[in-house]
Amino acid sequence: MYVAVKGGERAVKNSQILVAGKRRGDINVPKITPDQIKNQLGLGVDRVMAEGSLYDEHAAAMAIRQAQGDMTEAIFLVRAFRTTLKRFGNSIPVETTRMAAFRRVSGIFKDIPGGQILGPTYDYTHRLIESCPEDDTQDTRERPLETENGMSDPAPASHDAPPFPGELPRVIDILQTRGLMQKDPAIPPNDDGEDLTRQPLTFPASRSLRLQALARGDEGFLLGSAYSLQRGFGLDRHPFLGELKIGYAAVWYTPPELGFKINIGRIKLTECFMVNRQDDAPKKAAGFETGYGLVFGQNERKAMAMSLLDRSLRTNENTGKADYPARDPEFVLSHCDNVESSGFVQHLKLPHYVDFQSELVFIRSRRKDHVPDEGDR
Amino acid sequence: MPLAYNFAYLDEQSKKMIRRAILKALAIPGFQVPFGGREMPLPYGWGTGGIQLTASVIGPDDRLKVIDQGSDDTVNAISIKAFFKKTAGIAITEETRAATIIQTRHRIPETPLQKGQIMVFQVPIPEPLQFIEPKKSQTVKMHGFEEYGSMHVKLYEDIAKFGRIATAFDYPVQVHQRYIMSPSPIPKYDNPKLHQSPAIHLFGAGREKRIYAVPPFTDVVSLDFEDYPFELEQWDGACAVCGSQNSFLDEIITDDKGTRVFICSDTEYCRNNAGKSNP
Amino acid sequence: MSRVQENDSLPLLEVRHLSKFFGKQLGCHDISFAVSPGEVIGVVGESGSGKSTLLNCIAGRIQSSNGAVLFNSSVGMLDLCRCDEALVRRIIRTQTGYVTQNASKGLKMHISAGGNIGEKLMANGMRNYRQIREQALAWLAKVEIDPGRIDDLPSTFSGGMQQRLQIAANLVNAPKIMLMDEPTSGLDVSVQARLIDVLRKLVSGLNLSMILVTHDLAVARLLCHRLYVMKQGKIVESGLSDQILDDPRQPYTQLLVSSVLKP
């Protein structure tokens, strides 16, 4: 008599032991610390915070280590941690014009009020893998040269440091005050608490929900979708970078029991405004439109892709018709979350014996119609 | 950082929100209720919807049975049981009759369910119209206005092409003469078990953030044509272990020449049945 | 609910002061006309004159800005612009047909010809495969498609066949009125002629009412009893087809008529 193999429990346990061993690697190599990850893999930490939608560098660094550097897995760990956290209220919307910016570029005006700041970027490095001494405890880093308006030290000294001297007006404000761009209708204060992490995404999705979904969406998916727009799958004109800004923004919160706002810290943000020529309409004055991107941490690629998509997904807000995937809100927003997509694609690893058995029964009955004798040998 | 988790992982606010969705789902049988699905520490597609349902209805006195493909011992069932043992310290059972909550992926136990039991189904794609109309904004209207013609078109196409209905699992049903519903990817063999069942059947889709339900003693009818009625899978043989001829059989390949035997997919039923015939 | 008393002497469909604005842009303005049972109405005008917008408003595919569309349905006279959406959708699904210019938009291209014809029957509750099949075969014959192609996909059909299939799929549940948006444009002249021939037979055989939107005055002359000429969203002239085409009053209509090559 046949006895079905058992032992799932032991297999699962062993698998967990094995992955823990793999994660640690060679025991003779020192274990990396979350501090090392925060300091030296900071852009990775930024990405995990953004897509994990939790601004917690320490949790992100621990997640990256626990996931062996698998970013999607690390993002998942942060999400599963985040969902258990108590929420005590909504902050006051951050004022990104008062951000302490350490990088700010515009592709549409050479001179902008407040000036352009190149700041730290890989854009103008030559991508050569550099060999460097393994032991670099001595700080031999070069100091940046003096510039007119550059900030050499990106991180302000303390949480309550005053924001960067004065305000940095938005570049698109210039277009708006000159009447070349319609002002966006102000998004009403989010009193009803529209929150993608607490409510399901439904369509048509408001702009607030759309931006939430994109802000925590997968960088690769957003990038590829935005790229498809640029290649003519949804845009028939060249878009322009109105403004890209990276810096620290103060977060203010009004505790109900206090009744006045207090500063609870600062977060690193990348903000982007793209500028597109408005679709021609015979009876409308010609002008420009904008798309918006805002991401935790420093991630220019994602903020730019997000602002291209924000614009393209608005095109069909009223008609609901979409001719290209990257202009279709349901297509983009339903598929941009990598915790969802990764889980569902990989669930195919789970046993599907029963469903497959049903398929087998059907296929055999079909084959009997055609080759009665040799349906299945 | 040491972290403390609530009983059954989810915080009470979230559980309350999910229970409200369940009540709505029970009130409108077969209707997909959108809910604020939470991220769970297990991946989407691996039962997060079912786990949230179980976590919301489970109490310290419950006895939980978890099956996957009919078996108590497959890796995913083991993993989910371990999750509830750890977060809720709950009693686990393999006995269908003894369980108060049965969380399942892809099967309904062969042992008939009883009044008071809750079946929790893990659902990957809650929308039965998904492959006919991928847009939710459209399917919502199709359900709302009961525009289900295209559902039968699919069955029509099957018969025109194959001479029979080709859907083998996740076979769509109409609940209480109103909503068309996905019974989750159970084999169609299990569909009749939903009809007029004394148990509560809850369906949770975590990734798609939908909950729906079949309350006790509700009509659940598999879609078909008068002249091409719904049919169950049939096997030529019986279970090689317990000899049952009334159960869904899995095919087991026993050597590299393709020799195969059939055994019950429901391991608990098989064990009990074998015990009865060979005391 | 706006339900007017049912009366057989009432027109089948009456459009009253219908307007549609897209923002500030005019789609159609203050359109009124009535269709009697068995009557074929043509709406003609150059492209952009608002005739398709008008048809889409009547079909409930676009929400009109103002006005009413009264329909003498099986449950009495209904204003399709004001009634409960579920009721309107049911009425439109069961008692009207809609044929688009582009057959690939009106048909399900991945579903067989038989499935396309059968869909409305199944949507209205028919649950017998053989009966559905028989009706599909009969309708294929009526629109002069070889019944042997019942299981073929519409994508394997020629443009003219696709259009005839679309007509069959709309007529199968015996609608009271057909709405047609440029059904013949994009087809070769000989294919057009066959389609028009099929349509004429069906219309007279079924006592079917129809609103036909076309820019092709030759098609309008062959099919329509009465014509409405539209210009910049408004009706500028109306009357019997022959009267309009042989003796147009308005300069715009004269221009339209003179721009068509006489046979």
PDB file of all heavy atoms in Angstrom, chain A residues 97-101 113-114 117 148-151 161-169:
ATOM      1  N   THR A  97       8.691  74.010   0.090  1.00  0.00           N
ATOM      2  CA  THR A  97       9.402  75.238  -0.293  1.00  0.00           C
ATOM      3  C   THR A  97      10.362  75.678   0.819  1.00  0.00           C
ATOM      4  O   THR A  97      11.262  76.465   0.593  1.00  0.00           O
ATOM      5  CB  THR A  97       8.419  76.397  -0.566  1.00  0.00           C
ATOM      6  OG1 THR A  97       7.523  76.485   0.535  1.00  0.00           O
ATOM      7  CG2 THR A  97       7.645  76.163  -1.847  1.00  0.00           C
ATOM      8  N   ARG A  98      10.157  75.158   2.011  1.00  0.00           N
ATOM      9  CA  ARG A  98      11.044  75.518   3.112  1.00  0.00           C
ATOM     10  C   ARG A  98      12.034  74.404   3.418  1.00  0.00           C
ATOM     11  O   ARG A  98      12.631  74.361   4.489  1.00  0.00           O
ATOM     12  CB  ARG A  98      10.227  75.843   4.367  1.00  0.00           C
ATOM     13  CG  ARG A  98       9.220  76.956   4.142  1.00  0.00           C
ATOM     14  CD  ARG A  98       8.543  77.365   5.427  1.00  0.00           C
ATOM     15  NE  ARG A  98       9.509  77.921   6.375  1.00  0.00           N
ATOM     16  CZ  ARG A  98       9.905  79.193   6.356  1.00  0.00           C
ATOM     17  NH1 ARG A  98       9.403  80.019   5.469  1.00  0.00           N
ATOM     18  NH2 ARG A  98      10.770  79.628   7.234  1.00  0.00           N
ATOM     19  N   MET A  99      12.165  73.500   2.472  1.00  0.00           N
ATOM     20  CA  MET A  99      13.083  72.388   2.651  1.00  0.00           C
ATOM     21  C   MET A  99      14.528  72.882   2.694  1.00  0.00           C
ATOM     22  O   MET A  99      14.883  73.837   2.011  1.00  0.00           O
ATOM     23  CB  MET A  99      12.933  71.460   1.436  1.00  0.00           C
ATOM     24  CG  MET A  99      12.727  70.029   1.757  1.00  0.00           C
ATOM     25  SD  MET A  99      11.944  69.201   0.349  1.00  0.00           S
ATOM     26  CE  MET A  99      13.293  68.903  -0.702  1.00  0.00           C
ATOM     27  N   ALA A 100      15.350  72.232   3.501  1.00  0.00           N
ATOM     28  CA  ALA A 100      16.790  72.500   3.447  1.00  0.00           C
ATOM     29  C   ALA A 100      17.341  71.651   2.306  1.00  0.00           C
ATOM     30  O   ALA A 100      17.646  70.478   2.471  1.00  0.00           O
ATOM     31  CB  ALA A 100      17.444  72.118   4.763  1.00  0.00           C
ATOM     32  N   ALA A 101      17.438  72.280   1.125  1.00  0.00           N
ATOM     33  CA  ALA A 101      17.784  71.504  -0.063  1.00  0.00           C
ATOM     34  C   ALA A 101      19.293  71.404  -0.217  1.00  0.00           C
ATOM     35  O   ALA A 101      20.008  72.378  -0.014  1.00  0.00           O
ATOM     36  CB  ALA A 101      17.177  72.150  -1.297  1.00  0.00           C
ATOM     37  N   PRO A 113      15.200  81.476  -9.032  1.00  0.00           N
ATOM     38  CA  PRO A 113      15.339  82.108  -7.717  1.00  0.00           C
ATOM     39  C   PRO A 113      15.796  81.068  -6.705  1.00  0.00           C
ATOM     40  O   PRO A 113      15.200  79.993  -6.618  1.00  0.00           O
ATOM     41  CB  PRO A 113      13.922  82.587  -7.403  1.00  0.00           C
ATOM     42  CG  PRO A 113      13.231  82.646  -8.717  1.00  0.00           C
ATOM     43  CD  PRO A 113      13.866  81.621  -9.591  1.00  0.00           C
ATOM     44  N   GLY A 114      16.848  81.387  -5.980  1.00  0.00           N
ATOM     45  CA  GLY A 114      17.412  80.417  -5.042  1.00  0.00           C
ATOM     46  C   GLY A 114      18.554  79.642  -5.664  1.00  0.00           C
ATOM     47  O   GLY A 114      19.347  79.031  -4.962  1.00  0.00           O
ATOM     48  N   ILE A 117      21.506  73.876  -7.440  1.00  0.00           N
ATOM     49  CA  ILE A 117      22.539  73.266  -6.598  1.00  0.00           C
ATOM     50  C   ILE A 117      22.791  71.867  -7.149  1.00  0.00           C
ATOM     51  O   ILE A 117      21.887  71.024  -7.129  1.00  0.00           O
ATOM     52  CB  ILE A 117      22.069  73.139  -5.132  1.00  0.00           C
ATOM     53  CG1 ILE A 117      21.503  74.469  -4.621  1.00  0.00           C
ATOM     54  CG2 ILE A 117      23.212  72.660  -4.252  1.00  0.00           C
ATOM     55  CD1 ILE A 117      20.721  74.318  -3.325  1.00  0.00           C
ATOM     56  N   GLU A 148      28.827  79.591  -4.952  1.00  0.00           N
ATOM     57  CA  GLU A 148      28.015  80.742  -4.546  1.00  0.00           C
ATOM     58  C   GLU A 148      26.886  80.337  -3.619  1.00  0.00           C
ATOM     59  O   GLU A 148      26.627  80.940  -2.607  1.00  0.00           O
ATOM     60  CB  GLU A 148      27.402  81.405  -5.792  1.00  0.00           C
ATOM     61  CG  GLU A 148      28.322  82.387  -6.455  1.00  0.00           C
ATOM     62  CD  GLU A 148      27.745  82.818  -7.783  1.00  0.00           C
ATOM     63  OE1 GLU A 148      26.582  83.260  -7.809  1.00  0.00           O
ATOM     64  OE2 GLU A 148      28.452  82.692  -8.802  1.00  0.00           O
ATOM     65  N   ASN A 149      26.183  79.281  -4.000  1.00  0.00           N
ATOM     66  CA  ASN A 149      24.987  78.975  -3.227  1.00  0.00           C
ATOM     67  C   ASN A 149      24.899  77.509  -2.814  1.00  0.00           C
ATOM     68  O   ASN A 149      23.871  77.060  -2.364  1.00  0.00           O
ATOM     69  CB  ASN A 149      23.733  79.361  -4.017  1.00  0.00           C
ATOM     70  CG  ASN A 149      23.804  78.847  -5.435  1.00  0.00           C
ATOM     71  OD1 ASN A 149      24.635  77.971  -5.726  1.00  0.00           O
ATOM     72  ND2 ASN A 149      22.976  79.372  -6.316  1.00  0.00           N
ATOM     73  N   GLY A 150      25.976  76.803  -3.003  1.00  0.00           N
ATOM     74  CA  GLY A 150      25.932  75.392  -2.662  1.00  0.00           C
ATOM     75  C   GLY A 150      26.027  75.195  -1.165  1.00  0.00           C
ATOM     76  O   GLY A 150      26.686  75.963  -0.469  1.00  0.00           O
ATOM     77  N   MET A 151      25.318  74.170  -0.691  1.00  0.00           N
ATOM     78  CA  MET A 151      25.477  73.793   0.706  1.00  0.00           C
ATOM     79  C   MET A 151      26.412  72.617   0.733  1.00  0.00           C
ATOM     80  O   MET A 151      26.164  71.610   0.084  1.00  0.00           O
ATOM     81  CB  MET A 151      24.122  73.395   1.270  1.00  0.00           C
ATOM     82  CG  MET A 151      23.667  74.281   2.392  1.00  0.00           C
ATOM     83  SD  MET A 151      22.068  73.771   2.976  1.00  0.00           S
ATOM     84  CE  MET A 151      22.419  72.100   3.418  1.00  0.00           C
ATOM     85  N   ALA A 161      17.058  72.750  13.338  1.00  0.00           N
ATOM     86  CA  ALA A 161      17.835  73.759  12.633  1.00  0.00           C
ATOM     87  C   ALA A 161      16.909  74.529  11.703  1.00  0.00           C
ATOM     88  O   ALA A 161      15.988  73.954  11.131  1.00  0.00           O
ATOM     89  CB  ALA A 161      18.933  73.092  11.822  1.00  0.00           C
ATOM     90  N   PRO A 162      17.140  75.820  11.582  1.00  0.00           N
ATOM     91  CA  PRO A 162      16.263  76.584  10.685  1.00  0.00           C
ATOM     92  C   PRO A 162      16.391  76.061   9.277  1.00  0.00           C
ATOM     93  O   PRO A 162      17.468  75.615   8.883  1.00  0.00           O
ATOM     94  CB  PRO A 162      16.797  78.006  10.793  1.00  0.00           C
ATOM     95  CG  PRO A 162      18.186  77.870  11.312  1.00  0.00           C
ATOM     96  CD  PRO A 162      18.225  76.635  12.135  1.00  0.00           C
ATOM     97  N   PRO A 163      15.345  76.097   8.515  1.00  0.00           N
ATOM     98  CA  PRO A 163      15.422  75.618   7.142  1.00  0.00           C
ATOM     99  C   PRO A 163      16.416  76.442   6.335  1.00  0.00           C
ATOM    100  O   PRO A 163      16.866  77.484   6.796  1.00  0.00           O
ATOM    101  CB  PRO A 163      14.009  75.819   6.616  1.00  0.00           C
ATOM    102  CG  PRO A 163      13.168  76.178   7.765  1.00  0.00           C
ATOM    103  CD  PRO A 163      14.052  76.628   8.867  1.00  0.00           C
ATOM    104  N   PHE A 164      16.702  75.967   5.186  1.00  0.00           N
ATOM    105  CA  PHE A 164      17.649  76.648   4.303  1.00  0.00           C
ATOM    106  C   PHE A 164      17.222  78.107   4.153  1.00  0.00           C
ATOM    107  O   PHE A 164      16.043  78.397   4.047  1.00  0.00           O
ATOM    108  CB  PHE A 164      17.648  75.946   2.941  1.00  0.00           C
ATOM    109  CG  PHE A 164      18.673  76.460   1.991  1.00  0.00           C
ATOM    110  CD1 PHE A 164      20.013  76.205   2.217  1.00  0.00           C
ATOM    111  CD2 PHE A 164      18.301  77.203   0.889  1.00  0.00           C
ATOM    112  CE1 PHE A 164      20.964  76.671   1.351  1.00  0.00           C
ATOM    113  CE2 PHE A 164      19.254  77.670   0.026  1.00  0.00           C
ATOM    114  CZ  PHE A 164      20.605  77.410   0.246  1.00  0.00           C
ATOM    115  N   PRO A 165      18.212  79.022   4.174  1.00  0.00           N
ATOM    116  CA  PRO A 165      17.930  80.459   4.191  1.00  0.00           C
ATOM    117  C   PRO A 165      16.728  80.842   3.336  1.00  0.00           C
ATOM    118  O   PRO A 165      16.755  80.664   2.123  1.00  0.00           O
ATOM    119  CB  PRO A 165      19.204  81.079   3.629  1.00  0.00           C
ATOM    120  CG  PRO A 165      20.208  79.970   3.499  1.00  0.00           C
ATOM    121  CD  PRO A 165      19.618  78.736   4.090  1.00  0.00           C
ATOM    122  N   GLY A 166      15.711  81.285   3.980  1.00  0.00           N
ATOM    123  CA  GLY A 166      14.532  81.754   3.268  1.00  0.00           C
ATOM    124  C   GLY A 166      13.802  80.625   2.577  1.00  0.00           C
ATOM    125  O   GLY A 166      14.066  79.457   2.828  1.00  0.00           O
ATOM    126  N   GLU A 167      12.880  80.969   1.728  1.00  0.00           N
ATOM    127  CA  GLU A 167      12.141  79.954   1.006  1.00  0.00           C
ATOM    128  C   GLU A 167      12.739  79.776  -0.374  1.00  0.00           C
ATOM    129  O   GLU A 167      13.339  80.685  -0.912  1.00  0.00           O
ATOM    130  CB  GLU A 167      10.680  80.387   0.850  1.00  0.00           C
ATOM    131  CG  GLU A 167       9.938  80.387   2.158  1.00  0.00           C
ATOM    132  CD  GLU A 167       8.442  80.334   1.954  1.00  0.00           C
ATOM    133  OE1 GLU A 167       8.007  79.894   0.873  1.00  0.00           O
ATOM    134  OE2 GLU A 167       7.711  80.732   2.872  1.00  0.00           O
ATOM    135  N   LEU A 168      12.585  78.572  -0.895  1.00  0.00           N
ATOM    136  CA  LEU A 168      12.954  78.329  -2.293  1.00  0.00           C
ATOM    137  C   LEU A 168      11.650  78.261  -3.073  1.00  0.00           C
ATOM    138  O   LEU A 168      10.937  77.269  -2.989  1.00  0.00           O
ATOM    139  CB  LEU A 168      13.688  76.987  -2.428  1.00  0.00           C
ATOM    140  CG  LEU A 168      15.142  76.934  -1.974  1.00  0.00           C
ATOM    141  CD1 LEU A 168      15.674  75.515  -2.142  1.00  0.00           C
ATOM    142  CD2 LEU A 168      15.988  77.887  -2.782  1.00  0.00           C
ATOM    143  N   PRO A 169      11.295  79.318  -3.763  1.00  0.00           N
ATOM    144  CA  PRO A 169      10.019  79.265  -4.491  1.00  0.00           C
ATOM    145  C   PRO A 169      10.063  78.167  -5.541  1.00  0.00           C
ATOM    146  O   PRO A 169      11.116  77.857  -6.081  1.00  0.00           O
ATOM    147  CB  PRO A 169       9.919  80.640  -5.149  1.00  0.00           C
ATOM    148  CG  PRO A 169      11.291  81.179  -5.157  1.00  0.00           C
ATOM    149  CD  PRO A 169      12.029  80.548  -4.023  1.00  0.00           C
TER     150      PRO A 169
END
